[in-house]
């Protein structure tokens, strides 16, 4: 498997895990307060990450300055995503939550306009538009309705997640940052942020039933530790826009989990929406890959850099680029 395909596969697996997280979060928040669920999720994640860091340290520094500088702001933005997203799941259906959050695929390219190549080409925007149409079809499978508080919160979570994905790329690309250490810093930041607001509710957490704890462990170890590590590892090897397109398959997995575990039924419209989402995702990533790998028109062709400069009076060694 090529590096590009391996990176794509990891991002798709993250999308699958996140697609399954809405049902787990909804189940957990039905038994415990939202902030307590988030604190438990972060605390369990931090404990797991610290254990792995300690086991693999081997005399090396636990964190570098770059990892701390990137981890603290990314920890804040990731916590913001999860708090808005979890409140949204608590006030809407798990299916709608997974569908609305996929609008990140439209918001991320609009924010990720930096770099020497500038904005992405029109076909990429057309592919994201196809994904938006797919979201509408997926939502129509459960019946259109007026926006509820939970839906509006999920729209806010989509915007914050787009900011977070762009920041992951800008703060980590080109720096010697280890994904495990960066994820550990993020989980510690999240734990510290939620602890003051949940300190009085900790006895409630201690008396949670085994099923609720199973949901919390799944959210912590798979939807947080694994997903954060995999996302950081993958974004370092691709672009934020490409990562967002692959993560945008999340609603397809959310629908699949709803059918298999939640007893939902696949209607013709939701089936068409899922197919369009996959088609739009792969079309968009192909356009983005070609755009990213195209020669920069502002630079001379590569063969021109290898030619000896013509000078009748002196010999000059060509500059190596």
């Amino acid at each position: 498997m090529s590096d590009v395909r391996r990176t794509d596969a990891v991002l798709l697996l993250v999308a699958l895990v996140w697609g399954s997280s809405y049902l787990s979060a909804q189940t957990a928040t039905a038994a415990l307060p939202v902030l307590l669920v988030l604190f438990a999720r972060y605390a369990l994640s931090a404990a797991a990450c610290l254990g792995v860091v300690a086991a693999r340290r081997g005399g090396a520094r636990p964190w570098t300055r770059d990892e701390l500088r990137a981890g603290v702001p990314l920890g804040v933005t990731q916590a913001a995503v999860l708090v808005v997203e979890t409140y949204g799941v608590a006030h809407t259906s798990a299916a709608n939550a997974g569908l609305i959050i996929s609008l990140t695929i439209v918001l991320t390219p609009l924010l990720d306009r930096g770099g020497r190549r500038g904005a992405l080409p029109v076909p990429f925007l057309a592919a994201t538009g196809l994904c938006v149409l797919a979201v509408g079809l997926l939502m129509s499978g459960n019946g259109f309705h007026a926006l509820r508080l939970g839906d509006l919160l999920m729209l806010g979570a989509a915007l914050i997640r787009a900011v977070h994905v762009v920041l992951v790329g800008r703060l980590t690309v080109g720096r010697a940052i280890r994904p495990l250490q960066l994820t550990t810093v993020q989980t510690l930041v999240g734990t510290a942020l939620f602890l003051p607001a949940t300190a009085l509710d900790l006895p409630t957490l201690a008396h949670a039933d085994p099923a609720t704890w199973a949901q919390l462990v799944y959210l912590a170890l798979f939807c947080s530790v694994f997903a954060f590590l995999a996302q950081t590892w993958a974004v370092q090897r691709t672009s934020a826009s490409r990562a967002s397109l692959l993560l945008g398959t999340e609603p397809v997995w959310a629908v699949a989990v709803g059918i298999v575990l939640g007893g939902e039924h696949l209607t013709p419209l939701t089936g068409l929406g899922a197919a369009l989402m996959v088609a739009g995702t792969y079309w968009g990533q192909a356009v983005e890959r070609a755009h990213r790998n195209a020669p920069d028109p502002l630079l001379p062709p590569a063969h021109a850099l290898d030619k000896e400069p013509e000078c009748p009076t002196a010999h000059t060694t060509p500059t190596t680029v």
Side-chain angles (χ1 to χ4, degrees):
M1 182 182 294
S2 68
D3 289 341
V4 171
R5 296 303 177 192
R6 186 181 299 111
T7 303
D8 290 351
V10 169
L11 287 169
L12 283 173
L13 185 56
V14 171
L16 189 156
V17 170
W18 276 342
S20 68
S21 69
Y22 300 102
L23 187 60
S24 294
Q26 192 174 61
T27 303
T29 54
L32 297 171
V34 169
L35 293 181
L36 189 59
V37 169
L38 289 171
F39 168 76
R41 179 175 179 174
Y42 267 104
L44 292 170
S45 301
C49 288
L50 287 172
V52 176
V53 168
R56 298 179 58 184
R57 183 176 176 181
R61 296 175 58 187
W63 294 285
T64 65
R65 183 175 299 178
D66 282 342
E67 289 162 353
L68 291 173
R69 286 177 174 174
V72 171
L74 290 178
V76 173
T77 56
Q78 184 65 68
V81 172
L82 288 181
V83 70
V84 177
E85 183 179 286
T86 307
Y87 271 112
V89 171
H91 292 86
T92 189
S93 67
N96 275 356
L99 297 171
I100 295 172
I101 198 70
S102 68
L103 293 176
T104 301
I105 65 175
V106 178
L107 298 172
T108 301
L110 296 177
L111 297 174
D112 186 33
R113 296 174 66 89
R116 61 186 177 89
R117 300 186 188 280
L120 288 163
V122 172
F124 181 89
L125 299 180
T128 59
L130 185 63
C131 292
V132 172
L133 174 61
V135 170
L137 291 173
L138 287 167
M139 292 184 68
S140 70
N142 295 320
F144 287 109
H145 54 74
L147 286 176
R148 296 173 292 189
L149 173 61
D151 298 325
L152 294 174
L153 288 172
M154 293 309 301
L155 287 173
L159 175 60
I160 301 171
R161 184 190 281 194
V163 172
H164 176 75
V165 172
V166 172
L167 283 178
V168 170
R170 293 185 180 179
L171 295 178
T172 62
V173 171
R175 294 180 174 86
I177 292 179
R178 297 162 292 181
L180 174 60
Q181 276 71 11
L182 180 63
T183 301
T184 304
V185 175
Q186 292 182 75
T187 58
L188 289 172
V189 169
T191 303
L193 289 174
F194 291 117
L195 177 58
T198 59
L200 297 178
D201 291 328
L202 292 181
T204 304
L205 183 62
H207 294 91
D209 59 62
T212 301
W213 273 105
Q215 302 291 347
L216 294 175
V217 170
Y218 177 73
L219 288 169
L221 299 187
F222 290 91
C223 303
S224 292
V225 176
F226 164 75
F228 294 172
L229 277 171
Q231 182 193 30
T232 302
W233 177 88
V235 171
Q236 287 180 301
R237 289 160 175 78
T238 186
S239 69
S241 298
R242 182 182 179 87
S244 182
L245 273 171
L246 290 166
L247 294 175
T249 60
E250 184 178 320
V252 176
W253 305 115
V255 170
V257 170
I259 293 172
V260 175
L261 301 178
E264 299 179 0
H265 299 287
L266 181 64
T267 67
L269 284 180
T270 54
L272 178 59
L276 289 179
M277 178 64 74
V278 173
T281 297
Y282 279 92
W283 178 26
Q285 68 171 277
V287 172
E288 190 276 336
R289 181 193 307 163
H291 176 71
R292 178 158 45 94
N293 294 333
D296 192 335
L298 299 180
L299 294 177
H303 63 81
L305 297 175
D306 296 330
K307 292 178 62 179
E308 293 285 340
E310 298 179 1
C311 180
T313 59
H315 176 80
T316 305
T317 304
T319 302
T320 301
V321 177

